[in-house]
Amino acid sequence: MANEKEKQILALIKKNPFISQNEIARELKLSRSAVANYISSLMRKGEIVGRAYILPRERKITCIGGANIDQKMYLSGNIKWRTSNPVRTEKSLGGVARNIAENLGRLGAAVSLVTVLGNDEAGKWLQESTGAWADLSPAMNISGANTGHYTAIIDGSGEMIVALADMGIYDRVAAGQLAERWNHIGSSSFVLLDTNFPKDVIQYVITRCREEKIPLAVATVSVPKAEKLPEDLSGIKLLIVNRDEAEAVAKTEFSEKNPLPLADVLFRRGLEKLVVTAGEKGVFYFDRSGFCGHLPAPEAEVRDVTGAGDALAAGVIYGLNEGKDLTSACQIGLACSYLTVQSEKTVAEELNGELLAETVRNLWNDTESNMEGDF
């Protein structure tokens, strides 16, 4: 068992895995040699793994990818093209990896976010607000770059009709910057990667996760960004896509009546599990053993569909990270999505583990298939 000083050192390392012995010494008002002795003791006890102060995996999830400012413009009815349309405008935090990280944090998961921000007011807002739900210590900052912005136009029925994205900052991320943060990423029990970063960065994360046997989920963001994925998908445990993104990655038509051919294409390329979202038709899910299934989307009073896919992805990853089977994980994902579409926020502010467990029970009344437990 760790003593009091060792516990304080562990807390500092957990907050910042890159902290130096000198920084620990200054923080705790100890000599550097005393810190070195405590570190050696913690390593002997198995509380720290290796010289880089890597903590044993504690079911921490690391999300890698986009963090943006979302601007939503709500129309009172249908859009009229090539003329002015009155709207109500709201700004909120967004970005696929960021949204997934916040959803996971609200569910009580230990979650980190590796993203890139500009040194601007938007970046400061993202850092301060998201920090309540996720550890942003491994985030990157680029001077002179604008933090990502995303603008969606929502019609009177709550459907998004067009979106505009200013995401140039992501093209400035290099694989070496992820390598510098790998001690943090590599200590995760699950990694989520979105496809906002350049191809070589995406390939780097997939390769490292494959080599180190870290479960990796990929959320593809959009059709153009889905096409950044490599031909070899080995190293990806879970791919979460909508039907258009699935067709872009597989270069095969998705048929709701017979979706297996598309899944088989991806399994032959090395993928382990596939979840395809189909809006109001729910989710189709597969694994390479031949297991497959479909869950319809629960009926809900839709206020805004923005963020629903991110919430679903967060729920599926949360379930798998907690040891649930794929069906149960998809039920958890649909419950998160169900709560999100009834909120005007990209991430439902009322989401928490207790509400999720109650929602899953109410939607499926499932008492036999691995749905019991702490959420």
Side-chain angles (χ1 to χ4, degrees):
M1 294 290 291
N3 62 35
E4 191 58 37
K5 285 295 183 189
E6 290 171 345
K7 289 178 181 177
Q8 292 174 359
I9 291 171
L10 281 173
L12 290 173
I13 293 171
K14 187 177 295 186
K15 184 177 181 181
N16 177 14
F18 303 98
I19 195 169
S20 69
Q21 290 187 3
N22 285 331
E23 289 171 324
I24 294 172
R26 286 195 297 271
E27 184 74 23
L28 299 182
K29 296 180 171 57
L30 296 170
S31 67
R32 194 207 61 79
S33 60
V35 171
N37 288 333
Y38 284 125
I39 293 291
S40 296
S41 174
L42 287 166
M43 291 173 69
R44 288 194 300 272
K45 295 174 181 178
E47 298 287 343
I48 292 176
V49 182
R51 295 177 59 191
Y53 308 156
I54 301 173
L55 298 173
R57 291 180 186 168
E58 53 175 39
R59 313 216 66 73
K60 179 186 78 176
I61 302 170
T62 297
C63 298
I64 303 172
N68 317 316
I69 300 300
D70 277 354
Q71 181 170 265
K72 298 178 186 177
M73 296 183 174
Y74 293 94
L75 293 158
S76 57
N78 294 325
I79 192 168
K80 295 185 173 83
W81 298 102
R82 298 182 178 85
T83 189
S84 175
N85 288 263
V87 296
R88 173 173 57 86
T89 302
E90 290 186 2
K91 285 187 178 181
S92 63
L93 306 176
V96 170
R98 195 219 69 88
N99 291 347
I100 293 173
E102 182 179 337
N103 275 288
L104 288 165
R106 288 182 179 276
L107 293 176
V111 60
S112 298
L113 177 61
V114 180
T115 190
V116 59
L117 304 170
N119 288 325
D120 51 16
E121 288 304 313
K124 291 176 185 176
W125 183 35
L126 275 161
Q127 188 112 21
E128 291 170 1
S129 300
T130 306
W133 307 107
D135 173 19
L136 270 77
S137 63
M140 299 166 275
N141 291 91
I142 297 180
S143 297
N146 293 325
T147 296
H149 279 74
Y150 170 89
T151 301
I153 299 177
I154 313 297
D155 69 15
S157 66
E159 291 292 326
M160 180 185 74
I161 56 176
V162 71
L164 307 170
D166 176 2
M167 305 294 175
I169 191 170
Y170 300 125
D171 295 332
R172 299 175 64 175
V173 176
Q177 292 169 288
L178 273 292
E180 291 171 357
R181 290 157 175 79
W182 199 263
N183 284 343
H184 189 106
I185 298 166
S187 64
S188 307
S189 62
F190 219 109
V191 171
L192 174 281
L193 172 69
D194 77 20
T195 50
N196 275 301
F197 290 163
K199 276 182 161 183
D200 63 321
V201 177
I202 292 169
Q203 180 66 73
Y204 176 80
V205 174
I206 293 172
T207 300
R208 287 293 298 265
C209 286
R210 180 179 66 240
E211 292 173 347
E212 300 178 23
K213 296 180 171 55
I214 302 168
L216 171 66
V218 173
T220 48
V221 181
S222 67
V223 169
K225 292 182 180 182
E227 294 171 347
K228 294 181 183 180
L229 287 178
E231 181 69 20
D232 182 2
L233 301 177
S234 58
I236 301 178
K237 181 182 182 69
L238 171 68
L239 180 63
I240 304 174
V241 286
N242 64 29
R243 59 179 303 155
D244 292 337
E245 294 159 358
E247 291 178 344
V249 176
K251 299 177 178 61
T252 301
E253 185 178 354
F254 181 84
S255 167
E256 293 174 5
K257 294 181 178 179
N258 184 21
L260 286 173
L262 181 144
D264 286 340
V265 168
L266 298 178
F267 293 144
R268 287 197 297 272
R269 288 166 54 186
L271 182 66
E272 288 189 36
K273 300 180 190 298
L274 172 67
V275 172
V276 180
T277 63
E280 63 184 15
K281 295 185 179 178
V283 298
F284 298 82
Y285 52 95
F286 319 80
D287 70 29
R288 64 189 311 169
S289 71
F291 174 77
C292 61
H294 169 251
L295 288 167
E299 290 187 12
E301 185 177 337
V302 176
R303 299 180 69 185
D304 185 350
V305 299
T306 308
D310 301 337
L312 186 142
V316 174
I317 293 164
Y318 180 83
L320 293 177
N321 193 54
E322 292 295 315
K324 306 296 184 185
D325 59 41
L326 186 55
T327 299
S328 300
C330 287
Q331 288 177 324
I332 293 170
L334 280 169
C336 291
S337 177
Y338 169 83
L339 293 169
T340 301
V341 298
Q342 297 178 80
S343 167
E344 285 192 354
K345 301 294 184 181
T346 303
V347 178
E349 293 180 345
E350 64 272 20
L351 181 65
N352 58 53
E354 183 178 351
L355 177 60
L356 173 63
E358 179 185 352
T359 303
V360 168
R361 286 193 294 268
N362 289 341
L363 291 176
W364 287 283
N365 192 28
D366 192 336
T367 58
E368 298 180 359
S369 65
N370 200 24
M371 291 307 303
E372 296 298 320
D374 297 327
F375 290 95

